[in-house]
Amino acid sequence: MKTQINVCINGQERTDEVESRLLLIHYLREVVGLKGPHIGCETSICGACTVALNGKTVKSCALLAVQADGQDIVTVEGLATDGQLHPVQEAFWNEHGLQCGFCTPGMLMTTRELIERNPDPTDEEIRHGLEGNLCRCTGYQHIVNAVKSAAAKVGG
Amino acid sequence: MIPQEFNYSRPGTVQEAVDLLADHDAKVLAGGMSLIPLMKLRLSAPEHVVDLGRIPDLSRITENEGSLHLGALLTHHQVATSALVQEKCPLIAETAAHIGDAQVRNMGTLGGSAAHADPAADYPAALCALEAKVRLVRKDSERVVDIGDFFVDALTTAVEPEEIITELILPVEEAGTGVSYQKLRQPASGFAIVGVAARIRRDGGRIAMARVGVTGLAASAYRAAGVEALLEGSEGSQADVAGASAAVDEGIEAISDLHASSDYRRHVARVYTARAILAAL
């Protein structure tokens, strides 16, 4: 069964006919062509597929594309504006908040929401807030530093 | 990891939803945090999915005559952060904040979690301790089910295929009631190996009311009536709490899986029951 969906992705409206069973992550990567959101575990654990749906971070491997009909989606590709990195991206760059980079798109999206909801998070709050995003390289300390730096930049 | 094909409907009202359920052999989709993973694994392969995600009536929070009515589609994030819920029914807000991770709390819903009845889910412990009532609506009628009759077995509830949960009805907490939810978290998934929710009210130096709900230990969440009976009327001393907590697994068939043996779960249940009671006191 195919359903027509209208979505706004990174500020651009588009309409597609999709199978009702198509997952949002497959829609974004294979239909729209945005390869920023990654497929890691595909079991809604790792968070590499995290995108913002109407401003709220979600795991796009655990959503159907049809659920996003009429909604606003932001992927990691939509963070930078006019060639300027988003403060969260800058902070991850400056603080070495990544090694291989596979988890980074999800980390960035979750961090953006985390510091929106809590502009001055403690280390513990950052680790709690990033529980849904796994990194297999960094040991997380540099990521925590990056989140703190991003919060200071956005808040300050 | 791709679900089997299905037909998809997204009703705009409760009436449209129950009409669809009356006419089709369908599964109900709320936030999808349980159903979609199951469909990806093809453990669930419905022919028809009815998505409740756009029914605004199901995301209301209202207070009425000593009860808090929480719409079934409220996300865990909404329940955890609502000032009204935090004030009137702090146990459910505290429990919601412990569920899964930030992304799951943004999508997962109160009604969806209750309907899925995962033996390791967090909400059921709180719902049992709160003696919640569940409103179930079908095409031409509705009924309200006590939580004690709602959780039937692992992944099995009193909800009939043609019914949907529209709201959960919880008591507004009386002044002086302490609450706590304590859980041993499975580190990868965030699910509870054992989770214990407690509500305790003292009166004149003695415990006047004790309610204890347990998740993770048995196939379905339950109220630990033995613990409650031992606590009520006691002074709530360390020894009283330790003695009462030892009764948490009385008559319970403890589950065993790769995360924890049944003996270990029983031990954890006693420890976390004591912690929840002491935190609530």
Side-chain angles (χ1 to χ4, degrees):
Chain A
M1 177 191 168
K2 288 218 170 191
T3 306
Q4 182 176 307
I5 61 169
N6 301 294
V7 288
C8 179
I9 304 174
N10 299 331
Q12 290 204 308
E13 307 272 349
R14 58 179 290 152
T15 300
D16 289 291
E17 289 269 320
V18 298
E19 268 191 273
S20 47
R21 63 175 172 167
L22 183 69
L23 298 172
L24 182 58
I25 183 67
H26 292 141
Y27 169 70
L28 291 171
R29 289 178 60 88
E30 289 158 26
V31 180
V32 185
L34 294 170
K35 303 294 169 88
H38 288 159
I39 298 174
C41 69
E42 235 189 321
T43 53
S44 51
I45 300 286
C46 82
C49 64
T50 300
V51 301
L53 182 69
N54 288 343
K56 293 194 210 56
T57 57
V58 297
K59 292 180 175 176
S60 62
C61 79
L63 251 78
L64 304 168
V66 287
Q67 287 177 282
D69 179 28
Q71 317 268 25
D72 187 74
I73 299 166
V74 177
T75 68
V76 69
E77 288 92 340
L79 285 185
T81 43
D82 302 328
Q84 284 285 310
L85 289 181
H86 187 278
V88 171
Q89 291 173 307
E90 251 178 28
F92 270 70
W93 177 304
N94 291 335
E95 298 290 335
H96 308 285
L98 61 143
Q99 285 182 26
C100 85
F102 191 86
C103 71
T104 311
M107 288 285 177
L108 296 171
M109 298 309 295
T110 307
T111 300
R112 187 176 78 140
E113 180 179 67
L114 193 164
I115 63 176
E116 237 171 56
R117 288 177 175 175
N118 182 356
D120 187 20
T122 63
D123 282 23
E124 196 184 329
E125 287 167 341
I126 292 169
R127 286 177 184 271
H128 178 66
L130 293 178
E131 263 167 7
N133 294 78
L134 301 184
C135 170
R136 300 288 78 158
C137 310
T138 67
Y140 298 100
Q141 189 52 51
H142 288 243
I143 292 174
V144 173
N145 295 345
V147 176
K148 281 194 129 163
S149 161
K153 205 171 287 180
V154 171
Chain B
M1 298 293 270
I2 294 170
Q4 190 168 300
E5 282 188 68
F6 55 87
N7 292 314
Y8 174 81
S9 310
R10 194 171 57 223
T13 65
V14 170
Q15 191 58 50
E16 279 175 45
V18 293
D19 286 350
L20 281 162
L21 290 176
D23 295 339
H24 297 90
D25 184 12
K27 267 276 181 200
V28 173
L29 174 66
M33 294 296 96
S34 303
L35 180 60
I36 292 175
L38 286 177
M39 287 170 62
K40 285 163 67 178
L41 295 167
R42 305 213 177 184
L43 292 169
S44 179
E47 282 179 17
H48 199 122
V49 169
V50 174
D51 181 359
L52 305 183
R54 305 290 173 87
I55 304 181
D57 290 355
L58 296 180
S59 292
R60 291 207 183 119
I61 302 174
T62 50
E63 189 189 349
N64 184 20
E65 292 174 5
S67 295
L68 199 61
H69 294 248
L70 299 184
L73 263 281
L74 287 165
T75 64
H76 311 327
H77 177 71
Q78 289 172 316
V79 173
T81 56
S82 153
L84 185 65
V85 177
Q86 286 173 348
E87 185 199 335
K88 303 290 181 182
C89 190
L91 179 60
I92 200 77
E94 181 187 337
T95 305
H98 279 82
I99 299 171
D101 53 50
Q103 294 95 315
V104 168
R105 289 191 293 275
N106 279 338
M107 278 305 289
T109 66
L110 176 60
S113 171
H116 184 55
D118 192 302
D122 296 296
Y123 270 142
L127 295 175
C128 287
L130 288 160
E131 299 171 89
K133 294 177 189 300
V134 188
R135 188 180 306 278
L136 301 173
V137 175
R138 68 170 79 199
K139 191 171 180 180
D140 296 314
S141 65
E142 62 174 66
R143 60 190 178 124
V144 175
V145 176
D146 290 332
I147 205 73
D149 300 322
F150 180 82
F151 294 119
V152 176
D153 203 343
L155 309 177
T156 308
T157 68
V159 184
E160 300 285 344
E162 67 272 26
E163 288 178 318
I164 63 168
I165 301 174
T166 55
E167 65 175 7
L168 285 100
I169 307 167
L170 309 177
V172 169
E173 216 62 89
E174 277 183 44
T177 307
V179 301
S180 180
Y181 178 63
Q182 300 285 328
K183 82 175 198 190
L184 177 64
R185 197 172 191 278
Q186 205 281 320
S189 69
F191 274 102
I193 290 182
V194 171
V196 182
R199 301 164 62 221
I200 311 281
R201 190 170 60 250
R202 278 179 181 279
D203 192 6
R206 291 190 180 269
I207 292 176
M209 187 273 297
R211 293 289 180 272
V212 177
V214 184
T215 192
L217 183 62
S220 47
Y222 63 96
R223 250 180 78 189
V227 179
E228 295 173 0
L230 287 165
L231 280 178
E232 288 181 352
S234 80
E235 291 173 5
S237 68
Q238 291 269 356
D240 291 337
V241 172
S245 300
V248 70
D249 60 332
E250 255 174 24
I252 295 299
E253 203 176 310
I255 54 179
S256 180
D257 60 21
L258 79 165
H259 302 307
S261 68
S262 53
D263 282 348
Y264 180 65
R265 273 197 164 80
R266 285 180 193 280
H267 173 73
V268 170
R270 291 180 201 127
V271 172
Y272 278 71
T273 300
R275 286 187 191 175
I277 294 165
L278 289 171
L281 270 169

